[in-house]
Amino acid sequence: MTNGKPYFPPRYFFVGIGGSGMMPLAMILAGRGATVAGSDRTLDAGRLPAKFDDLAAKGVTLFAQDGSGVTSSEQIVVASAAVEASVADIVAAERVGAARLSRPELLASLFNASALPIGVAGTSGKSTVTGMIGWILHACDRDPTVMNGAVMKNFVADDTPFASALVGDGEAFVSEVDESDGSIALYQPRIAVLNNVSLDHKSLAELRALFGAFAGKAETTILNVGDAESAALARTLDPARLVTFAIDQSADLRATNLVPAPSAITFDLVAKGETQRVRLSVPGAHNVSNALAALGAARAAGVPLKAAIKAIAGFTGLKRRFELVGEAGGVTVIDDFGHNPDKIAATLATLHAFPGRLLVLFQPHGYGPLKVMRDELIAIFREQLHDDDRLVLPDPVYQGGTVSREVTSADIVAGIGARALHIPDRAEAATWLVEQACPGDRIVIMGARDDTLSQLAADVLTRIAQRG
């Protein structure tokens, strides 16, 4: 009862409920007892049925994206910026007078209302650091709520196959914070993490302003001074509220003596004059940096450093983050979320630490980002592809609506040169990979904003196995 009147919990309708940012938010609300429904054009097309079966099993009611699910002014209609006003559900919301919220507005309201909001920002590594912090807090019995943009392998089970969210009763609410649409300004973190600042969706000038404002709000900011842009930002912040981290350079949390392995890495952590050996069950120097960020955040949240170090050894990674799909005929297939220059560089560096030719399929995640990152993408591939590596680019992800196509995959290939090939159709590009692959090769399926890339990677592995 509220003021003598019965209380009815909000009814939410998610337009595009299967999206990587929408699904975990819907799962958190459903887990907290809210009434949740939604629609998705992927559902209408009959793609990725397991994802929507999981939502339905969690009590979410699913509708066609034809306006039929939005029928009352008492509903709160949630949509991402990618959903256009002409979509039938948005038209229906206008017609019935339903309240509207953007995805970041809703997430920020839950985040800001929590007792211990921990926000993870930066151009690269957000999902991994969020998963690491969530796992540490969970393993140390802090029972956190976690909002992630990727499936966290540690929390996958038969009844949670798409564990991109965790609903807990503890104080901590750990969430990725997105800068691409400027919504980072909505969040009020007590603990802020900043991994790095580099080109993705916005100019560096815009990113500096957004990340600087975010970091300046927190009681404690965990910041990577191994990244030049973040280090410059650190010099503008109150040092009393700053915890720095870096690899092989001066910082509050410093990693040295890195020893990589194909699927793991170990290092020495130097903090407050003490050195402790840390083992990660995920590979690459970039994950050492991610781990420093997570350990710093966990310590700021009250977890003893030794306990956090013990816990992080059990972190098994995220789906589509350098994920081993399998091996067949001497060929290894890897599924990876790399889509901006920093992520791509980290993946290539991790792979090149060990022998074997790379065959890379990179599907750009949109024409807009391709325009922003054109020169940097060309430079990364030109610099980091070895002479015998090969790269194939299909056309970018296109999910409807109006979009400028000023820069295309063909433009990127032209800038890279002979080691790259443009095959517009993705299925044909995958066939080219299968035909080229030889024992000892590593095939990498790389890109974002398209959940079907994982199925593509699995299909490539199957076809290689069938070659005999």
Side-chain angles (χ1 to χ4, degrees), residues 28 52 67 119 126 153 158 179 239 252 287 294 333 353 364 413 431 447:
I28 288 172
F52 298 102
K126 292 189 293 292
K153 293 181 183 179
D158 289 344
E179 81 287 347
D252 297 317
N287 275 319
V333 179
V413 166
T431 296

Side-chain angles (χ1 to χ4, degrees), residues 336-352:
D336 189 67
F337 191 68
H339 64 280
N340 65 38
D342 278 359
K343 289 185 172 74
I344 292 167
T347 294
L348 295 179
T350 301
L351 287 163
H352 279 144

Side-chain angles (χ1 to χ4, degrees), residues 40 83 98 130 144 166 200 217-218 277 312 328 341 379 424 441:
D40 199 287
V83 177
T130 299
L166 185 67
D200 194 335
K217 295 175 185 176
R277 196 66 180 164
I312 204 169
D441 288 346

Side-chain angles (χ1 to χ4, degrees), residues 441-459:
D441 288 346
R442 283 85 54 80
I443 290 177
V444 187
I445 305 299
M446 190 179 285
R449 289 186 180 172
D450 185 348
D451 289 345
T452 64
L453 284 168
S454 293
Q455 186 58 55
L456 180 72
D459 291 344

Side-chain angles (χ1 to χ4, degrees), residues 34-283:
T35 300
V36 180
S39 66
D40 199 287
R41 58 190 165 200
T42 300
L43 173 66
D44 292 351
R47 301 196 304 270
L48 305 173
K51 173 185 287 190
F52 298 102
D53 289 346
D54 184 49
L55 280 168
K58 290 177 170 55
V60 175
T61 305
L62 298 170
F63 292 86
Q65 200 169 87
D66 57 6
S68 60
V70 183
T71 59
S72 170
S73 62
E74 295 179 356
Q75 289 173 289
I76 298 172
V77 175
V78 184
S80 70
V83 177
E84 298 180 331
S86 59
V87 170
D89 290 336
I90 303 302
V91 173
E94 293 290 332
R95 183 177 65 249
V96 302
R100 293 277 307 281
L101 279 177
S102 69
R103 184 200 68 84
E105 285 172 338
L106 177 55
L107 174 56
S109 70
L110 299 175
F111 179 86
N112 295 341
S114 67
L116 181 57
I118 304 173
V120 182
T123 312
S124 302
K126 292 189 293 292
S127 297
T128 298
V129 174
T130 299
M132 285 177 166
I133 297 170
W135 174 247
I136 292 169
L137 295 178
H138 173 82
C140 294
D141 299 321
R142 301 302 175 96
D143 200 16
T145 293
V146 183
M147 164 75 191
N148 208 326
V151 174
M152 299 173 283
K153 293 181 183 179
N154 288 89
F155 300 114
V156 170
D158 289 344
D159 59 344
T160 55
F162 298 93
S164 53
L166 185 67
V167 182
D169 291 326
E171 291 188 341
F173 191 119
V174 188
S175 181
E176 287 190 63
V177 175
D178 189 14
E179 81 287 347
S180 65
D181 57 1
S183 63
I184 188 173
L186 299 173
Y187 298 84
Q188 303 289 332
R190 272 184 55 194
I191 299 171
V193 177
L194 181 57
N195 296 333
N196 41 56
V197 180
S198 61
L199 283 174
D200 194 335
H201 298 86
K202 293 183 177 295
S203 70
L204 278 175
E206 292 174 293
L207 293 173
R208 288 166 185 148
L210 288 168
F211 288 133
F214 172 76
K217 295 175 185 176
E219 293 178 10
T220 305
T221 298
I222 318 297
L223 189 144
N224 180 12
V225 292
D227 171 72
E229 286 287 341
S230 300
L233 175 60
R235 292 191 285 271
T236 71
L237 299 173
D238 178 0
R241 296 190 288 127
L242 189 62
V243 175
T244 60
F245 66 90
I247 297 174
D248 285 331
Q249 67 184 70
S250 179
D252 297 317
L253 298 168
R254 177 165 61 96
T256 63
N257 300 322
L258 278 62
V259 179
S263 59
I265 192 164
T266 57
F267 63 95
D268 284 338
L269 172 63
V270 182
K272 293 187 175 180
E274 294 186 1
T275 301
Q276 300 179 67
R277 196 66 180 164
V278 180
R279 184 187 186 280
L280 303 180
S281 301
V282 288

